[in-house]
Amino acid sequence: MDIVVTNGTVVTATETYEADIGIEKGKIAALGRGLGGVETIDAQGNYVFPGAIDVHTHFELPSMGTISADDFQTGSIAAACGGTTTFIDFADQGKGESLHRALEIRLERAEGKVAIDYGFHVAIGDMTDEVMNVEMAELVEQGVASFKLYMAYKGTYMVDDETLFKSLLKAKELGALIIVHAENGDLLHYLINKHVAEGKKEPIWHARSHPPEAEAEAAGRAIILAALAEAPIYIAHVSAAQALEKVKGARDKGQPVLAETCPQYLLFNTEHYKLPNFEGAKYVISPPLREKGNGELLWQGLISGDLQVVSTDHCPFNFVGQKDRGRDDFSKIPSGMPGVETRVPLLYHFGVNEGRFSINRFVELVSTNPARLFGLAPQKGTISIGSDADLVIFDPRKEVRLSVENLHMNVDYSPYEHITVRGYPVLVMQRGRVIVKDGQFVGEVGAGQFLKRRRIAI
Ligand SMILES: [Zn+2]
């Protein structure tokens, strides 16, 4: 063996056992006891998880006249430090642009900068005959197994129901997955304008302009269209319990509806918008944080299986110089927050340490299900012979305060500043190379590989 990770407790979505992991040419080549290798890494007393996968990031995303603060380099390094070895970002098609061009722009931006493996979902913003009849199929051939449709952001990326329905039909034919941002864009557009016109401009009005009903209505509509198209559908960043109810209702009837949530919706609520000194702007995200008590219902969704994935929607903007553009008007606050580095430790701490679910379910939510649903299994998302040696050695005793000075994300605040988690990655490997050691990135910028994702079978 080239490398052997010894004495660790291996954790997958289904099993927990003591074993050495033998690695050859970047792949897992043996699992067992007493393996010998050229190099040995001792994982005594620690867990060994498959590298985590974040299927929802927005690195260097142009938005509202600015750009998200993490580029592909800083963002992917931060991801690695938090135990994530693969991310899937987005390529958003503008009006008059081809899907190929949209993807090309993002691939060019990422080129030479990405420190971990990655892929892209392509967002359809302009559904032409060429997109429907030619491009979607070509992209699936190129390894893009998922497309996103925005039901919100009227005037930019929002699509009508005809576009969504056509996309669902085509995706079904191609074996691709449709992801929706489910909020009723017409309603949001009306409410935002109304509140701004009435002088209601504090950050709390962001939440009041994005009511949970707008999310539930759009999720329900998307689910019905998916049922008519007989296509699977994936609801991004479920934040409102009312939307989760729509997911659950469809799943109970056997419809292939899949959904994710994000740590911020599990842990925070609308009270954060009322923080003094405009600090509420740090939590302006879309969909917004919900009322107290809503988060516990989302945890229940993770426990029951109605939610299968925890992603981040990582889209950071600095408090000074970006978020503060909206000091006098919530509608000018760039929407999004950091999270790519903190997802794994937060979910372990609040999920496993607090007894909400098992360590196996935790691995399933952050790694195995994302790999399975987005065409990366079994190369990613598990520890088995032949899989990539993407491993996280995780010390369940290590305590880290998630303050801005302890994190690597390129943003001037941490939403989790006062939270100390117990359990943290101490070593991260990608394809057999150590890329993070003792909290520092030691990998190679540009070594991340673009992943051709398979068609899905749901
Ligand atoms: Zn997003």
Side-chain angles (χ1 to χ4, degrees):
M1 298 290 142
D2 300 333
I3 307 166
V4 178
V5 176
T6 59
N7 303 315
T9 301
V10 175
V11 185
T12 68
T14 51
E15 290 178 290
T16 307
Y17 57 98
E18 312 289 315
D20 300 341
I21 301 173
I23 300 166
E24 268 183 356
K25 295 193 175 74
K27 303 251 181 217
I28 296 168
L31 291 162
R33 286 292 199 179
L35 301 179
V38 178
E39 195 188 324
T40 301
I41 294 171
D42 190 6
Q44 180 72 46
N46 294 330
Y47 292 119
V48 186
F49 302 139
I53 299 168
D54 190 344
V55 298
H56 194 152
T57 64
H58 300 282
F59 298 134
E60 49 188 292
L61 175 76
S63 174
M64 298 169 76
T66 184
I67 188 159
S68 62
D70 265 313
D71 65 15
F72 281 99
Q73 181 171 325
T74 60
S76 61
I77 288 173
C81 291
T84 290
T85 51
T86 299
F87 68 87
I88 309 180
D89 205 287
F90 296 85
D92 300 322
Q93 178 203 20
K95 294 267 180 250
E97 189 176 74
S98 70
L99 296 186
H100 287 302
R101 184 62 197 141
L103 178 62
E104 216 172 75
I105 290 169
R106 296 296 280 168
L107 286 170
E108 281 166 11
R109 276 199 180 257
E111 178 73 39
K113 288 157 86 175
V114 184
I116 59 175
D117 289 353
Y118 63 105
F120 287 102
H121 314 284
V122 170
I124 299 171
D126 191 1
M127 177 55 104
T128 60
D129 290 347
E130 177 78 3
V131 167
M132 172 87 178
N133 300 326
V134 182
E135 284 209 282
M136 285 178 75
E138 288 175 349
L139 281 173
V140 172
E141 282 302 313
Q142 274 179 254
V144 173
S146 45
F147 298 93
K148 185 174 185 186
L149 285 301
Y150 292 91
M151 300 172 80
Y153 303 112
K154 186 170 176 165
T156 54
Y157 291 113
M158 181 172 134
V159 297
D160 59 18
D161 292 344
E162 182 182 355
T163 295
L164 175 54
F165 190 62
K166 279 177 165 174
S167 306
L168 284 160
L169 289 171
K170 185 51 93 174
K172 180 187 169 55
E173 182 190 318
L174 298 172
L177 186 59
I178 293 296
I179 304 168
V180 286
H181 176 130
E183 284 186 286
N184 182 318
D186 283 315
L187 182 59
L188 305 190
H189 185 255
Y190 170 79
L191 289 173
I192 292 166
N193 288 336
K194 175 177 186 286
H195 291 146
V196 169
E198 289 170 355
K200 295 165 175 166
K201 294 184 176 180
E202 298 80 21
I204 184 68
W205 290 97
H206 171 75
R208 290 174 185 160
S209 302
H210 293 70
E213 291 81 359
E215 184 183 348
E217 186 280 328
R221 182 160 34 104
I223 287 168
I224 288 170
L225 294 177
L228 275 172
E230 297 180 21
I233 191 163
Y234 182 94
I235 317 286
H237 43 46
V238 170
S239 72
Q242 293 93 323
L244 174 58
E245 278 305 306
K246 302 282 184 186
V247 172
K248 183 176 168 19
R251 289 179 61 85
D252 286 349
K253 285 187 259 168
Q255 191 183 337
V257 176
L258 307 153
E260 64 177 19
T261 190
C262 313
Q264 55 270 31
Y265 300 119
L266 296 164
L267 300 172
F268 298 143
N269 58 60
T270 47
E271 293 304 303
H272 289 74
Y273 292 124
K274 300 173 188 164
L275 289 171
N277 305 319
F278 192 59
E279 300 246 344
K282 293 177 177 176
Y283 302 89
V284 166
I285 54 178
S286 300
L289 300 176
R290 303 301 185 186
E291 297 292 325
K292 241 184 195 155
N294 180 85
E296 206 46 56
L297 298 171
L298 297 179
W299 281 111
Q300 289 304 320
L302 293 175
I303 294 163
S304 70
D306 288 313
L307 297 169
Q308 300 80 39
V309 172
V310 175
S311 69
T312 64
D313 200 5
H314 176 86
C315 191
F317 295 98
N318 287 311
F319 184 63
V320 177
Q322 293 188 300
K323 287 283 189 183
D324 59 7
R325 291 164 166 228
R327 196 171 276 278
D328 302 318
D329 178 353
F330 75 84
S331 72
K332 298 198 165 61
I333 301 170
S335 185
M337 64 187 261
V340 78
E341 188 173 4
T342 47
R343 175 184 63 131
V344 169
L346 282 169
L347 203 71
Y348 180 86
H349 184 79
F350 289 99
V352 180
N353 283 349
E354 296 204 347
R356 288 186 167 99
F357 43 66
S358 72
I359 196 166
N360 308 95
R361 179 66 179 154
F362 156 78
V363 168
E364 191 170 38
L365 291 166
V366 300
S367 180
T368 311
N369 280 347
R372 192 170 60 79
L373 298 182
F374 290 96
L376 294 170
Q379 181 191 354
K380 307 288 190 190
T382 193
I383 295 177
S384 62
I385 308 289
S387 296
D388 283 359
D390 294 356
L391 302 173
V392 176
I393 300 181
F394 190 91
D395 179 351
R397 296 161 302 273
K398 184 171 179 178
E399 295 197 358
V400 175
R401 187 175 149 200
L402 301 179
S403 62
V404 70
E405 63 263 30
N406 289 334
L407 298 171
H408 301 78
M409 296 178 285
N410 183 38
V411 56
D412 64 0
Y413 74 97
S414 166
Y416 306 99
E417 188 65 37
H418 302 294
I419 293 178
T420 297
V421 290
R422 194 174 74 251
Y424 217 80
V426 289
L427 187 141
V428 180
M429 296 176 93
Q430 176 129 66
R431 288 177 273 105
R433 294 172 301 114
V434 176
I435 59 169
V436 173
K437 204 172 176 198
D438 301 324
Q440 291 309 318
F441 179 71
V442 296
E444 193 188 324
V445 169
Q449 293 182 354
F450 175 74
L451 299 168
K452 286 188 76 169
R453 295 182 289 119
R454 272 180 279 284
R455 290 158 199 268
I456 51 149
I458 293 164

